[in-house]
């Protein structure tokens, strides 16, 4: 028999059996059938994720055949073909996990042990798509990956950690979220994400300005501090609280008078953050045992913003509170402050008086300075000499002369006022009447033909008279010099984006009748993204105005006690803080809950009744933001 391997030869006699053998026929020549028996063979195919998706009924058999044919014809990645059929990444990775015998998990930053996560460099986690998650009770390290077939990456983790490794499969978004949460350099991207405005640091030295935007790329800490300041201004925050905890740093904004958690920073970054703020405020970064106060002048978004920085040592580090003093926020005008028309007209008459004392009272953060600045802005500064004495000067105003009290240098309120009276003033604003000496000079200025505006810390307007008496001013001098007292509070406005009707509880009907409010007129904020699910957005004031006329002057000379002044005020016909708040509830500006939060009800028993009934009635709205007494 002739060889058939190598060079091709023509078939000859006796080679028919070989040809028949090649064609697969079974009638072989005698003797060869025992040597070779051909079989019909089929191509072997390994089980893949498409088979698992079909078994899980996520892929129909018809679609599976279509994918097989397309993959056989064009090749390529079968996962892309599956995604083109509408299957999600999570479904595909879940099938891949089952194919390799691993469990599939969705992982959040809360599920990850920081100690385990720190076993690998974050760049390695991102490039290799494999992430340490937690430790098992026996010390085994659990890692999550999107590539269970990458045995080299798994072996590399074993080599670097020296631990036994268990594998779970997750999606790439989970790895990215954990890396973003645990990566200190994430502050770099936060600035871009929130659109940080240009920030310029204004030094005390004239003409010396540092552009913070240019220096932001030098350190993540600088970028992070700039982001905090810029974002707080965008959010309308009045204060930034940077609070050190045992394992992290909590950062909160005060917005509309309420604190909101913003973010957390790693505790190891806290000293650097505080040091950066101290440098900006010209404070001693080496001193960490005593409180420090400073001021920062910056330009954000093209307008000047002053920052008052207060540093206080605590058991876990230094707490920093930054107050944002935005001059734009104070020039709102008295017309937009929330004063009712009758009260606004009476207050404007008071600031037109040629002499006397006009007091604005309320607790810290109630908007007293804003009211006084708005009043000064309405005065004719071209014809009048308007001067202020403040500690500190919160807002720089072009239309008046401002004196900054510096007690360390010997410039006190009383000393500044004495010098100011020799400067031929017409209008004098005193930041606060704190002691007898300041109060006496204010009274003397009022009696000698000057209009004096000042603030006083009291709960309401009638108690201000008793406060002056307690300071040491004789009642007859108070009666002769005092023109009026305005008490105020700030309340939150209902968010106009999620305002809804609210069914009034039975316990509030008494106050609704008092203000002439129909139950169907009540509204509240349900909560939305624009108001941070609080139901409130923005603030306005509630006020009570005590005008000192002849009747009040007689009462002050006879009995200047708090009870006597409050009785006289109720008889004057002017609404108190609570009644002014009810008027704003009737107009749909705020809720009764907000009024009860900031203003006193005349009868304490009635207030308790309101709180008890509003919290238990079945008519209370089901939303968590529905009005209910705190």
């Amino acid at each position: 028999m002739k060889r058939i391997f190598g060079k091709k030869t023509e078939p000859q006699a006796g080679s028919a059996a070989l040809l028949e053998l090649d064609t697969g026929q079974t009638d072989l020549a005698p003797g060869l059938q025992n040597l070779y028996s051909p079989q019909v063979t089929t191509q072997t195919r390994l089980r893949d994720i498409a088979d698992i998706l079909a078994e899980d009924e996520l892929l129909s058999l018809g679609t599976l055949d279509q994918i097989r044919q397309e993959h056989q014809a064009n090749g390529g990645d079968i996962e892309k073909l599956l995604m083109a059929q509408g299957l999600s990444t999570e479904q595909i990775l879940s099938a891949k996990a089952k194919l390799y015998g691993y469990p599939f998990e969705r992982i959040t930053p809360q599920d990850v042990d920081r100690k385990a996560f720190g076993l690998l460099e974050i760049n390695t986690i991102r490039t290799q798509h494999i992430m340490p998650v937690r430790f098992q009770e026996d010390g085994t390290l659990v890692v999550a990956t999107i590539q269970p077939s990458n045995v080299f990456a798994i072996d590399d983790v074993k080599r670097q950690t020296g631990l036994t490794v268990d594998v779970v499969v997750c999606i790439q978004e989970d790895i990215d979220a954990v890396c973003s949460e645990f990566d200190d350099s994430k502050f770099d991207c936060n600035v871009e994400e929130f659109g940080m405005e240009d920030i310029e640091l204004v030094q005390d030295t004239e003409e010396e300005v540092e552009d913070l935007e240019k220096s932001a790329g030098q350190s993540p800490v600088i970028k992070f501090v700039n982001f905090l300041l810029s974002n707080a201004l965008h959010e309308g925050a009045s204060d930034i609280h940077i609070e050190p905890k045992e394992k992290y740093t909590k950062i909160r904004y005060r917005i509309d008078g309420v604190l909101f958690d913003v973010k957390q920073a790693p505790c190891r970054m806290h000293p650097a953050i505080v040091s950066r703020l101290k440098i900006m405020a010209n404070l001693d970064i080496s001193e960490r045992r005593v409180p420090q106060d400073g001021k920062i002048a910056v330009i954000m978004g093209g307008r000047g913003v002053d920052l008052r920085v207060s540093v206080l040592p605590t058991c876990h580090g230094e707490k920093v509170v930054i107050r944002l003093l935005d001059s734009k926020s104070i020039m709102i005008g008295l017309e937009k402050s929330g004063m009712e028309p009758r009260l606004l007209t009476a207050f404007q008459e008071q600031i037109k008086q040629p002499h006397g004392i006009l007091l604005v009272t309320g607790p810290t953060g109630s908007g007293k300075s804003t009211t006084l600045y708005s009043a000064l802005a309405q005065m004719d500064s071209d014809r009048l000499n308007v001067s202020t004495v403040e500690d500190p000067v919160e807002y720089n105003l072009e239309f008046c002369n401002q004196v900054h009290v510096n007690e360390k240098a010997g410039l006190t309120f009383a000393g500044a006022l004495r010098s100011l009276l020799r400067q031929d003033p017409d209008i004098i604003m005193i930041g606060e009447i704190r002691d007898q000496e300041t109060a006496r000079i204010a009274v003397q200025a009022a009696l000698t033909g000057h209009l004096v505006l000042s603030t006083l810390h009291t709960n309401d307007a009638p108690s201000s008279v008793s406060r002056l008496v307690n300071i040491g001013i004789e009642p007859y001098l108070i009666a002769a010099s005092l023109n009026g007292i305005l008490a105020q509070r700030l309340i939150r406005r209902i968010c106009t984006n999620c305002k809804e009707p609210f069914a009034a509880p039975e316990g509030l009907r008494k106050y609704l009748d008092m203000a002439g409010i129909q139950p169907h007129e009540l509204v509240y904020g349900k909560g939305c993204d624009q108001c941070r699910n609080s139901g409130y957005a923005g603030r306005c004031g509630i006020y009570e105005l005590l005008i000192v006329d002849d009747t009040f002057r007689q009462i002050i000379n006879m009995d200047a006690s708090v009870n006597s002044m409050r009785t006289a005020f109720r008889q004057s016909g002017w609404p108190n803080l609570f009644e002014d708040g009810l008027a704003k509830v009737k107009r749909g500006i705020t809720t009764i809950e907000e009024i009860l939060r900031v203003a006193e009800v005349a009868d304490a028993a009635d207030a308790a009744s309101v709180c008890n009934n509003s919290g238990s009635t079945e008519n209370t709205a089901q939303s968590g933001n529905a009005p209910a007494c705190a």
Side-chain angles (χ1 to χ4, degrees):
M1 183 168 50
K2 191 175 182 178
R3 290 183 59 188
I4 62 173
F5 302 104
K7 184 178 179 180
K8 183 177 179 181
T9 59
E10 294 295 329
Q12 299 178 2
S15 63
L18 289 177
L19 292 175
E20 291 175 353
L21 178 74
D22 289 343
T23 59
Q25 296 180 2
T26 58
D27 51 342
L28 300 176
L32 291 179
Q33 187 172 4
N34 296 329
L35 297 177
Y36 178 76
S37 177
Q39 295 180 357
V40 179
T41 60
T42 59
Q43 184 179 0
T44 303
R45 182 179 57 79
L46 296 176
R47 188 166 178 260
D48 60 11
I49 55 176
D51 296 315
I52 295 176
L53 291 169
E55 293 170 4
D56 293 340
E57 298 182 351
L58 296 175
L59 200 63
S60 66
L61 295 178
T63 305
L64 177 61
D65 291 338
Q66 178 184 345
I67 291 174
R68 294 287 184 216
Q69 293 173 6
E70 186 174 352
H71 184 249
Q72 186 174 2
N74 303 323
D77 189 353
I78 194 170
E79 292 185 17
K80 293 182 179 179
L81 298 176
L82 292 170
M83 294 181 69
Q85 296 297 326
L87 289 166
S88 67
T89 303
E90 183 172 342
Q91 290 172 326
I92 293 173
L93 283 172
S94 179
K96 186 180 289 188
K98 186 179 293 186
L99 178 66
Y100 286 91
Y102 296 134
F104 177 82
E105 291 185 15
R106 289 303 306 269
I107 298 173
T108 65
Q110 291 74 25
D111 300 328
V112 178
D113 185 338
R114 277 185 179 270
K115 185 177 179 181
F117 184 85
L119 292 176
L120 290 184
E121 293 290 337
I122 196 163
N123 290 335
T124 302
I125 295 174
R126 284 175 167 154
T127 57
Q128 297 296 325
H129 308 288
I130 188 167
M131 174 180 67
V133 177
R134 58 183 177 271
F135 295 104
Q136 301 281 36
E137 292 183 359
D138 59 357
T140 300
L141 177 65
V142 178
V143 297
T145 181
I146 67 169
Q147 299 173 340
S149 60
N150 190 351
V151 294
F152 299 104
I154 298 172
D155 289 340
D156 192 44
V157 172
K158 295 178 182 178
R159 180 183 57 79
Q160 290 190 44
T161 62
L163 299 173
T164 305
V165 171
D166 282 348
V167 178
V168 299
V169 179
C170 69
I171 64 174
Q172 181 63 42
E173 286 78 2
D174 291 349
I175 295 179
D176 292 340
V178 175
C179 289
S180 177
E181 180 71 20
F182 289 173
D183 185 10
D184 293 343
S185 63
K186 66 179 180 176
F187 305 132
D188 295 348
C189 63
N190 276 341
V191 180
E192 302 298 333
E193 178 184 351
F194 287 90
M196 185 189 71
E197 297 287 352
D198 295 347
I199 303 178
E200 295 179 355
L201 177 61
V202 182
Q203 304 285 5
D204 290 340
T205 306
E206 291 186 6
E207 306 300 331
E208 185 178 357
V209 178
E210 178 188 356
D211 188 352
L212 294 186
E213 185 184 24
K214 293 181 180 179
S215 63
Q218 299 176 3
S219 168
V221 175
I222 297 177
K223 270 195 166 185
F224 182 55
V225 171
N226 288 355
F227 158 71
L228 285 182
L229 300 179
S230 178
N231 190 45
L233 185 68
H234 283 298
E235 293 288 337
S238 60
D239 299 89
I240 305 172
H241 290 242
I242 303 174
E243 304 170 348
K245 304 299 179 182
E246 183 178 1
K247 297 182 179 179
Y248 62 92
T249 295
K250 177 189 287 188
I251 298 168
R252 299 190 288 175
Y253 289 166
R254 186 178 294 278
I255 303 174
D256 295 337
V258 178
L259 285 170
F260 291 88
D261 287 345
V262 178
K263 65 167 50 260
Q264 295 180 2
C267 60
R268 61 179 176 273
M269 289 193 65
H270 183 79
I273 294 171
V274 175
S275 296
R276 173 60 186 166
L277 290 168
K278 284 183 176 180
I279 291 172
M280 296 174 69
N282 291 322
L283 300 179
D284 185 359
I285 63 174
S286 64
E287 181 57 72
R288 299 182 179 181
R289 298 168 298 176
V290 297
Q292 297 186 67
D293 296 301
K295 188 175 182 180
I296 306 171
V298 298
I299 298 174
M300 291 192 287
R303 66 179 188 266
V305 179
D306 291 330
L307 311 174
R308 282 166 50 186
V309 180
S310 175
V311 182
L312 179 68
T314 67
C315 58
H316 294 300
E318 292 177 292
K319 176 185 176 182
V320 182
V321 176
I322 306 169
R323 170 155 290 188
L324 283 75
L325 304 173
D326 183 10
S327 57
K328 180 181 178 181
S329 66
I330 66 164
M331 306 311 296
I332 58 175
L334 294 174
E335 294 78 6
K336 297 182 181 180
S337 63
M339 292 185 184
E340 299 296 325
R342 178 190 173 205
L343 189 145
L344 175 60
T345 301
F347 184 74
Q348 289 175 331
E349 290 296 325
Q350 289 296 312
I351 62 179
K352 293 178 182 178
Q353 297 296 319
H355 54 78
I357 297 177
L358 176 62
L359 295 176
V360 178
T361 72
T364 302
S366 59
K368 301 185 297 297
S369 297
T370 300
T371 299
L372 288 179
Y373 285 141
S374 299
L376 292 177
Q378 293 196 352
M379 297 178 179
D380 189 355
S381 58
D382 293 333
R383 292 191 311 107
L384 299 174
N385 179 13
V386 181
S387 301
T388 72
V389 182
E390 305 171 67
D391 182 23
V393 174
E394 294 187 349
Y395 301 97
N396 295 317
L397 307 176
E398 295 183 358
F399 51 80
C400 63
N401 307 293
Q402 296 173 280
V403 178
H404 179 87
V405 171
N406 187 349
E407 294 187 358
K408 293 182 179 179
L411 182 60
T412 62
F413 268 110
L417 281 173
R418 288 193 192 94
S419 299
L420 194 60
L421 289 174
R422 294 191 287 270
Q423 294 281 318
D424 186 30
D426 295 300
I427 312 294
I428 300 174
M429 192 198 86
I430 306 173
E432 181 185 351
I433 294 179
R434 299 179 179 178
D435 51 39
Q436 181 181 8
E437 188 176 12
T438 304
R440 285 195 176 279
I441 297 175
V443 170
Q444 291 172 6
L447 294 176
T448 54
H450 305 88
L451 180 62
V452 179
L453 284 67
S454 186
T455 67
L456 200 65
H457 285 282
T458 58
N459 291 329
D460 55 12
S463 61
S464 300
V465 176
S466 300
R467 172 66 175 155
L468 291 175
V469 173
N470 294 335
I471 287 178
I473 307 301
E474 290 78 2
Y476 71 92
L477 291 176
I478 298 174
S481 61
L482 191 60
N483 289 348
I485 306 168
L486 179 75
Q488 69 178 68
R489 300 287 190 279
L490 289 179
I491 58 170
R492 293 178 291 174
R493 294 177 180 266
I494 297 174
C495 176
T496 56
N497 187 58
C498 59
K499 183 183 290 188
E500 290 186 357
F502 166 62
E506 291 294 332
L508 298 179
R509 296 298 172 87
K510 171 184 176 180
Y511 299 98
L512 300 180
D513 295 340
M514 180 193 306
I517 303 173
Q518 300 299 322
H520 66 271
E521 294 178 327
L522 285 182
V523 293
Y524 82 109
K526 182 180 180 181
C528 62
D529 293 338
Q530 295 186 15
C531 62
R532 304 168 194 84
N533 292 316
S534 66
Y536 300 95
R539 288 194 291 180
C540 69
I542 57 174
Y543 304 89
E544 65 180 19
L545 178 63
L546 188 156
I547 299 176
V548 182
D549 53 15
D550 292 338
T551 301
F552 271 103
R553 290 190 173 93
Q554 292 179 3
I555 296 173
I556 292 172
N557 283 320
M558 295 173 57
D559 181 11
S561 65
V562 175
N563 291 334
S564 175
M565 296 304 302
R566 285 177 176 168
T567 301
F569 178 71
R570 284 196 293 269
Q571 294 173 353
S572 68
W574 286 95
N576 58 26
L577 289 169
F578 184 72
E579 293 166 343
D580 187 55
L582 289 180
K584 290 177 172 56
V585 173
K586 180 177 176 61
R587 291 164 53 191
I589 296 175
T590 188
T591 63
I592 292 184
E593 177 196 36
E594 186 68 7
I595 301 303
L596 292 171
R597 184 179 69 88
V598 300
E600 292 185 25
V601 185
D603 187 346
D606 289 341
S609 175
V610 172
C611 290
N612 292 334
N613 290 328
S614 66
S616 60
T617 179
E618 294 179 357
N619 293 331
T620 303
Q622 297 300 316
S623 170
N625 294 320
C629 289

